[in-house]
Amino acid sequence: MLSRLIHNERTPRNAKPYCRCWNENRPRLWESNGGCACGEHADISEWRWEMPDSTGTSWVMMCPNQKQVTFHPFYSSGTAAVKGDTALVRDYHYYWEIKMLTEPYGTDIMVGLGTNKVNMADSLFTFTSFLGRDGESYGLSYTGALRHNATVTRENVGFCKGSIIGVKVDLWQGTLEFYLNRKSQGIAFYNLRRHQALYPMICSTAAQSSMRLIYAASWQASLLVDAAKILAASVNGEKSLFLPPGLKHTLKSQFWLTLPNHKCILDVDDATPDVSPTSPTKPESSMSLSSSLKRKHWHRRW
């Protein structure tokens, strides 16, 4: 269900970049971006993109670590889409971020999610806004349009080259919220719990368009998660707020819990997640998950 009414489509789009690491005119395919300070170096990714079975390299190219996708690397003849390799688990909170590496243009480039009923290859020769065409998918367009069940709203500013698009899914309450450059755009859709399985998805009609998954994490619904979000929202810009060491460590290493107010808890230069991927631990209360969902970012038991 859409949470907002349709606004005037002539509302100006003021998309802005967050990260200027990708400032060249050509697509960057597999290269590491070196000194990027947007959090990509933390290497927290519980899932990766899955190469569609029905498409070849003329529609989609994927880097070896399955994080970066280049759509239509030679020329575009329609709409290509990919989805995550792991379904979202009910009663968990999810947050992932995608960096737009090339300037978006053309019919549409979208970020969102959908069910396993979405046919990822049925628009290969059609230029369309793929996500949100029916009730099985949800999408945010680079133009700022929100789409679901063939209904469109235009309230968001959209995204451009260098933008970071965040997707927050709460499968405890069944809500979907988009972030642009780590600022919340408000809850876009409700009632997601009606779906049996949901997957992250991206799509593009633009030739040589490229996107990269830079962060993907999840947490089981708990009082600690709710308390951390409430605390972050109540800080009101007090950077000097004193926090107990354990709680400060939690908010620092799992910055998603404090979005969009993470700068209120930690100084900008101190906001890098403290990750130790070689020695992960797992909370005793967590359910058993597949290997692709094992946490790389736990530092202590909750």
Side-chain angles (χ1 to χ4, degrees), residues 282-294:
K282 187 176 182 179
E284 292 178 350
S285 61
S286 294
M287 65 177 67
S288 176
L289 300 177
S290 64
S291 59
S292 61
L293 273 177
K294 290 182 179 178

Side-chain angles (χ1 to χ4, degrees), residues 113-268:
L113 72 163
T115 73
N116 53 7
K117 297 179 181 179
V118 175
N119 184 346
M120 306 298 290
D122 70 352
S123 295
L124 289 178
F125 299 99
T126 305
F127 293 94
T128 184
S129 298
F130 183 78
L131 299 178
R133 296 181 304 166
D134 55 28
E136 300 299 325
S137 61
Y138 307 78
L140 170 66
S141 167
Y142 80 97
T143 65
L146 287 167
R147 295 178 179 270
H148 172 62
N149 203 21
T151 303
V152 181
T153 65
R154 295 183 183 272
E155 288 193 11
N156 293 280
V157 296
F159 53 88
C160 63
K161 179 181 179 181
S163 296
I164 291 179
I165 307 98
V167 185
K168 175 183 170 185
V169 181
D170 181 348
L171 287 182
W172 172 259
Q173 295 186 343
T175 60
L176 169 60
E177 183 176 357
F178 290 103
Y179 285 72
L180 291 173
N181 294 334
R182 294 182 176 155
K183 293 183 179 179
S184 172
Q185 305 301 297
I187 295 178
F189 303 102
Y190 296 89
N191 198 26
L192 270 66
R193 286 176 61 89
R194 65 189 177 89
H195 300 295
Q196 293 298 316
L198 288 165
Y199 295 82
M201 293 182 181
I202 53 177
C203 67
S204 176
T205 62
Q208 299 182 2
S209 53
S210 189
M211 310 170 82
R212 182 176 177 87
L213 177 70
I214 65 172
Y215 183 88
S218 67
W219 294 266
Q220 189 173 19
S222 68
L223 180 61
L224 185 145
V225 172
D226 292 339
K229 291 190 293 182
I230 293 172
L231 176 62
S234 65
V235 173
N236 296 324
E238 297 292 336
K239 285 188 177 181
S240 60
L241 177 70
F242 175 78
L243 295 174
L247 184 55
K248 183 175 181 179
H249 173 82
T250 298
L251 297 181
K252 178 180 178 181
S253 62
Q254 301 170 41
F255 78 99
W256 171 87
L257 295 177
T258 62
L259 280 171
N261 301 294
H262 62 288
K263 292 181 181 178
C264 299
I265 300 294
L266 303 169
D267 292 335
V268 176

Side-chain angles (χ1 to χ4, degrees), residues 45-179:
S45 184
E46 296 182 354
W47 52 266
R48 309 293 174 96
W49 298 119
E50 180 180 81
M51 188 70 179
D53 294 334
S54 56
T55 62
T57 57
S58 61
W59 282 280
V60 174
M61 290 183 67
M62 197 171 295
C63 66
N65 65 9
Q66 295 178 264
K67 289 185 177 182
Q68 188 164 316
V69 177
T70 297
F71 294 100
H72 314 287
F74 307 108
Y75 61 90
S76 177
S77 58
T79 308
V82 299
K83 69 176 183 178
D85 61 6
T86 306
L88 307 185
V89 178
R90 182 163 295 215
D91 296 338
Y92 268 70
H93 299 273
Y94 288 87
Y95 180 75
W96 63 90
E97 290 184 333
I98 295 167
K99 185 191 296 183
M100 190 70 215
L101 306 181
T102 55
E103 196 64 55
Y105 69 94
T107 302
D108 221 339
I109 297 175
M110 304 186 74
V111 173
L113 72 163
T115 73
N116 53 7
K117 297 179 181 179
V118 175
N119 184 346
M120 306 298 290
D122 70 352
S123 295
L124 289 178
F125 299 99
T126 305
F127 293 94
T128 184
S129 298
F130 183 78
L131 299 178
R133 296 181 304 166
D134 55 28
E136 300 299 325
S137 61
Y138 307 78
L140 170 66
S141 167
Y142 80 97
T143 65
L146 287 167
R147 295 178 179 270
H148 172 62
N149 203 21
T151 303
V152 181
T153 65
R154 295 183 183 272
E155 288 193 11
N156 293 280
V157 296
F159 53 88
C160 63
K161 179 181 179 181
S163 296
I164 291 179
I165 307 98
V167 185
K168 175 183 170 185
V169 181
D170 181 348
L171 287 182
W172 172 259
Q173 295 186 343
T175 60
L176 169 60
E177 183 176 357
F178 290 103
Y179 285 72

